[in-house]
Amino acid sequence: MPSLNQGHSRSRSRSRSCSRSRNGGIGKLDFDSHRKPPSTNDGSEAGTASPHGLLRDDESFLSEVVEGVIERDRRKMRRSVMNLCAGSITAYSLYGHLFLTRLHYTQGQVNVISIAAELGMYLPVPLFGYLCDRYSPRPLSLLSGIFFGFGYLLAAFTYHQGPPMDRGGNGWSYGIMVLAFVGVGMGTSCMYLSAVTTCAKNFGRGKHKGLALALPIASFGLSGMWQSQVGSQLLYEAGPQGEKGDVDVFRFILFLGITLLAVGIIGAVGLQVVNEEELIDEAVDEMERSGVLEDSAFFQRSILHDSNGYGTIEHNGRSISAEHQFDDRETASLLSRNEEEDERKKTWLLNAETRLFLVDHTMWFLAGGFFLVTGPGEAFINNLGTIIGTLYPPPLTVPSSNSAATHVSIVAVTSTIARLLTGTLSDILAPVSPPPTTSSHHHNSRNDHTNGTKASSMLEQSHGSPHPKRFTISRLTFLLSSTLLLAIGQLLLATGLCQSRPSLFPLVSALVGLGYGAIFSLVPIIISVVWGVNNFGTNWGIVAMVPAGGAAVWGGVYSKVYEWGASSELDHFANLHLDSGNVILSAGSVVANNMTSGAEDVLCYGAQCYQSTFWAMAVCSVVAIGLWAWAWRGKGGWVRRGIAV
């Protein structure tokens, strides 16, 4: 069997050369003796001795190289542009609080809308990742445009109709608004995943894999900033003296829907994974070295098939008999069967990668910590408007320096800076795994539950071998430090410091933005390092699903604490007086009573509106640090397997 495995490996190596030719690259078989010579100016074929023909051939070669570089840069630009628009949901806090006053929704209903968007964004991610890996990013990009167009246009016209009938108006049902934001969330997921997966597969094997993933993820964070500025600076409602007022919600949401529909269509044309066959073949080689393929009936049949190499020629990595090589119909039939075989190989490989990912216990520690930190981050971003409002009880008003639009921009900028810094620094400073000897580091990560002794021996060999020492910082060090920043921001709110000093709130937004952005950059990078990029869309999709639960839990907790804070003031303070039809509590809660419609909107002011929520969030961040530290250095962790993260 070893000889068959070696023959199979050589066959796949030749297959990879041919696969590059199929994809427009330049493989060694492009320069064989059967290639048609270039034509001369008079239309005749040039002989092999013609220097002019060779010159034209070199010019053609250089032209193909230049065109390939240009096309690569175009693809990079398309992916960046897509994610510069994909994060529109982060601008929700710019207009979410207006649903309270314009549509007379309760705080709980406003949070349900954001939770619906989070569920639409995170729950289907494994399915979208599966489709992206098995097919290509292009259909997913088109789907994102459809979801965005449907969701935002439906939300815009629902808002335009005014309060629903059960809130004293004649508008559309509240459930329609919830449905619209489910579409927005699904569109966000599709556009984000199609761009990031394309980058991971095209650039994830290189030296700068962290930066390759950080760029599209950072662009996602920037989208909320520029979109919120467009809304507050261009699409605003004019005040009585012509000054800038609140964002014009109808026009702003309409703008988002049309823009993102167009971007999704552009991505459906421009996104492309280059040399995917080569990725698959290299992953099969790794699995073969690790022994995973020994029990695979599918690949044993493939080995026997590829061992019939005598008297044959290679075409796309498959053996075609010499007596049939000039029979076009026979060749076409063989090529068709080979394509089907390649598809089955790809499907088998990706399914095997998914199984190995799910049985790895460290994945569950990684996902558990991700659940604990992303939920609080999402709840903070979605409720920025109402949190800021609690700091300024009447008759105080929120200054422009502390407005929701300002803090959306602060979170977006700091999040982007964190993503770029962590991606770049992790490339420069992260430790590098030693070259594999008898097994690859993927083998160690995937089969630790059965091959722990082999992993330990490999680690001992790597430590014993001479390597030039350099200063390194693990990606986990960056991850744990970023989570600590997030916890500090939560503690500033939990201790009530911001209530007495609202000027500290920009610091809170900056700390949350730095921590949240770095975490969302580092976790997918760690997944690509530990489990590879072949099945990245599915693997990252599985982990990226957990923030849906976190957002639902913490969005609900925040709204319940907020409403409890307001109602407790109504119950315990009797020092009331009427002011223009509103019942105002001197201790800080307001019940804005719309006399004409009978709708009642409860607004809360003071630290009791959020304090206990952020204490619990800070505790969860500390627990997440413990889970990630255990996955890194605990029993069966990545350090013990010899995986350099």
Side-chain angles (χ1 to χ4, degrees), residues 581-602:
N582 293 335
V583 181
I584 303 180
L585 287 85
S586 59
S589 293
V590 174
V591 179
N593 190 7
N594 188 320
M595 296 298 188
T596 59
S597 65
E600 189 177 80
D601 305 317
V602 178

Side-chain angles (χ1 to χ4, degrees), residues 165-185:
M165 295 182 66
D166 60 343
R167 306 300 294 174
N170 296 311
W172 294 351
S173 169
Y174 165 75
I176 296 177
M177 184 69 81
V178 174
L179 176 64
F181 275 86
V182 170
V184 170

Side-chain angles (χ1 to χ4, degrees), residues 50 127 132 160 197 202 253 286 297 345 347 386 406 476 525 573 578-579 585:
S50 171
L127 173 62
C132 195
H160 194 60
T197 301
N202 284 339
I253 295 180
E286 285 189 5
K345 178 173 71 172
T347 301
T386 54
T406 299
L476 266 296
I525 292 172
F573 290 91
L578 295 178
D579 180 18
L585 287 85

Side-chain angles (χ1 to χ4, degrees), residues 259-297:
T259 301
L260 293 168
L261 173 61
V263 172
I265 294 173
I266 292 171
V269 176
L271 292 179
Q272 181 181 356
V273 176
V274 181
N275 291 337
E276 188 173 17
E277 294 88 351
E278 186 175 349
L279 277 174
I280 297 299
D281 286 336
E282 289 179 357
V284 172
D285 283 342
E286 285 189 5
M287 283 189 162
E288 187 178 28
R289 288 194 301 268
S290 68
V292 174
L293 301 186
E294 291 178 358
D295 299 326
S296 170

Side-chain angles (χ1 to χ4, degrees), residues 19 51-52 68 74 148 159 164 172 233 253 261 265 267 283 289 319 371 378 403 441 477 506 534 560 570 591 608:
S19 70
H52 300 290
R74 285 175 182 159
F148 271 130
Y159 178 87
W172 294 351
Q233 302 298 324
I253 295 180
L261 173 61
I265 294 173
R289 288 194 301 268
S319 299
F371 169 84
E378 297 282 354
S403 66
H441 75 274
T477 301
N534 299 289
K560 288 299 181 182
L570 285 172
V591 179
Q608 77 279 356

Side-chain angles (χ1 to χ4, degrees), residues 131-148:
L131 295 175
C132 195
D133 285 332
R134 268 67 178 176
Y135 300 99
S136 75
R138 289 179 174 179
L140 208 61
S141 179
L142 179 61
L143 200 59
S144 73
I146 295 172
F147 280 135
F148 271 130

Side-chain angles (χ1 to χ4, degrees), residues 12 22-23 129-137 139 197 201 273-284 287 293 298-299 302 318 338-355 533-536 538:
R12 279 197 307 274
R22 283 203 307 273
N23 286 283
Y130 178 91
L131 295 175
C132 195
D133 285 332
R134 268 67 178 176
Y135 300 99
S136 75
T197 301
K201 293 193 174 186
V273 176
V274 181
N275 291 337
E276 188 173 17
E277 294 88 351
E278 186 175 349
L279 277 174
I280 297 299
D281 286 336
E282 289 179 357
V284 172
M287 283 189 162
L293 301 186
F298 174 82
F299 276 94
S302 179
R318 301 294 179 184
N338 290 340
E339 291 291 338
E340 293 176 0
E341 190 79 359
D342 287 339
E343 284 299 318
R344 287 197 295 270
K345 178 173 71 172
K346 176 181 176 180
T347 301
W348 181 93
L349 172 70
L350 296 180
N351 289 341
E353 294 268 6
T354 303
R355 287 192 298 270
V533 300
N534 299 289
N535 205 41
F536 175 82
T538 304

